[in-house]
Each structure stands twice: as structure tokens, then as C-alpha cells.
Amino acid sequence: MLFIYVITFLLLIIQVHTTSQNINPSPYFAPSIPVHNDTSHDDEGKDHDSEPLKNNGRGSHEASAQNYAAENNATHGVPIDDFQQMILADHNKCRRQTCASDLQEDDELHREAMKRAHSLANGHMLPLPDDYNENVFELDTGDPSKVTSEMIVNGWCNEGKHYDAGKEESSLQYSQLVWKSSKKLGVGHAYDSHKLYVIVLYKPSGNLRGEFGANVGCGVQDKQKKNE
């Protein structure tokens, strides 16, 4: 009788063990990769008086989706916080030549600029809202640490030599840099193993049609203040 009880107990243990082996945990599903739309043109062809002129300083989209956007805090040989401060200082140096007030950095714009730079390095350009505008620097380089803030901003500032007040689209990166009504600045960068991307965002947006005369360069009142 005892033998029968032992056999029955052993059979129950084997059955429970077998059943537990067949219970699989819920499979892990990796989060889906967000789909990015290539919106290189951002409706730039529209001709609305209130719509900002987008800068078109984006170059060709040579980065492929297989390339990566390296989030390296020392892409330019300095931490990103220091690089953002340098970009800001070089902007304000150029703006003072045109009687524009200093820009102030904005953390939200910094984050948005980083997101846009990484998206561009991955081969996609996110839509550009009308409430801010951007300047974009792109350079094929094997050593991004050699690219300085001064090189980038001076390149845009020097476009002022070609600025024509009668032609609003003559130097869009320069006019946005010195646009008086823009008050805030954000800076982002990314490197896809061969090309460096630096994006600067400005808010409120500059390059508004019909407002260049009041926002670019020293007006009569500005010159009078300088002489006082």
C-alpha cells in the first residue's frame, strides 16, 4: 500500500514539473523605431507675407539611415555646454555690429536643436515650425574637434558683405543671425562618422517677409544712439 502512495506522489511531481516547463513568459517587444519624414523643403515654396523665409542652409542629405548620430559631448574638442556658450558669444559679437541686442540661450531650444541635428545626421530633416528659424552648418571632416564656433558663426556673419537690403533672400543665414526681433538661441550638433552637423535655432523666427528693413542693420535711430 505504501508503495502505491509513493508511486502516485512521484507521478504528481513529474506532472507539475512538466506543466511548469510549458509556461512561457510574455515575449519582449522592443520599442518600434519612430518613422521620420524627409521634409527637406518644409513648404518653402509657399509665398505668404507672414511666413518666415527658411534659410536653405542645409546642404545635401548625404547621411544614410544606416549612419549613426554620435552624441559626443566633446565633438568640438570641448563639452557641449561650453560649445553652446561659444556659439552664443560669437553670435552676439556679430549682432552688436548691426545694433541688434544680445541673444539669450534657451534650454528648450538647445534640446530641440540637438534633436534636429541628430535627425539630420540620420538622413532626415524634421519639419520646421514657424515660431522659430534655424541656421545649419554641415562639413565633411574626419576630425570634428577642429571645427570651432568662430569658424561657423564667422562664416554666417561674413555673408553680410553680400547682403542686399533690396533682395530679402540675398543672405538668409546672415540676416537671421543679426535679426533684431529674435531673442533666444539654441544649439545642437551631431556627427555621423564623416559629416558634422551644427544647428542653431532662433526664437522668435527671423527672416519675415517685409520686415528686413526694421530688423537687419543699424537704422537712423540706432546711429543717433551710437553718436550720443
Side-chain angles (χ1 to χ4, degrees):
M1 191 71 174
L2 179 61
F3 176 78
I4 294 175
Y5 282 124
V6 170
I7 295 298
T8 303
F9 180 75
L10 290 174
L11 288 174
L12 286 172
I13 292 176
I14 292 172
Q15 183 177 3
V16 170
H17 178 73
T18 303
T19 304
S20 65
Q21 292 291 340
N22 291 331
I23 298 176
N24 295 321
S26 299
Y28 171 75
F29 292 96
S32 59
I33 299 174
V35 177
H36 298 291
N37 297 320
D38 187 355
T39 56
S40 306
H41 299 291
D42 295 333
D43 296 326
E44 291 164 349
K46 292 183 179 179
D47 186 11
H48 298 305
D49 290 340
S50 60
E51 187 177 65
L53 298 168
K54 304 306 180 184
N55 293 3
N56 294 324
R58 297 167 186 161
S60 60
H61 290 183
E62 296 177 9
S64 69
Q66 295 177 344
N67 290 330
Y68 65 94
E71 189 168 356
N72 182 349
N73 283 342
T75 296
H76 311 278
V78 296
I80 181 61
D81 292 348
D82 292 343
F83 181 70
Q84 289 168 338
Q85 287 291 321
M86 293 174 182
I87 289 283
L88 177 64
D90 287 331
H91 268 68
N92 289 335
K93 187 184 302 182
C94 182
R95 287 174 64 87
R96 289 165 193 161
Q97 299 172 13
T98 63
C99 304
S101 60
D102 287 359
L103 294 170
Q104 303 296 322
E105 64 177 333
D106 183 89
D107 289 340
E108 183 179 349
L109 283 181
H110 283 327
R111 289 190 292 270
E112 184 65 20
M114 288 295 290
K115 182 171 69 174
R116 295 183 66 80
H118 282 242
S119 180
L120 183 55
N122 280 317
H124 308 283
M125 174 56 82
L126 298 174
L128 186 63
D130 285 345
D131 60 341
Y132 57 76
N133 201 4
E134 68 181 0
N135 278 346
V136 180
F137 174 87
E138 299 180 16
L139 180 69
D140 281 300
T141 177
D143 187 0
S145 67
K146 293 182 178 180
V147 180
T148 66
S149 166
E150 189 175 26
M151 290 169 55
I152 297 169
V153 180
N154 281 359
W156 297 336
C157 189
N158 288 337
E159 287 184 10
K161 299 174 183 177
H162 309 290
Y163 176 71
D164 183 349
K167 297 179 180 178
E168 294 185 339
E169 299 186 37
S170 59
S171 301
L172 290 176
Q173 294 183 114
Y174 165 75
S175 56
Q176 174 56 81
L177 192 162
V178 301
W179 195 265
K180 292 179 182 178
S181 296
S182 293
K183 303 300 181 183
K184 298 179 181 179
L185 170 146
V187 182
H189 68 180
Y191 184 62
D192 66 6
S193 78
H194 74 96
K195 180 176 278 194
L196 173 67
Y197 302 85
V198 178
I199 287 185
V200 180
L201 298 181
Y202 308 86
K203 188 174 183 178
S205 174
N207 290 351
L208 298 174
R209 297 178 189 276
E211 298 183 17
F212 280 72
N215 282 280
V216 181
C218 295
V220 175
Q221 293 181 346
D222 295 317
K223 293 177 181 178
Q224 288 177 346
K225 289 180 181 179
K226 275 190 172 184
N227 295 328
E228 290 177 355

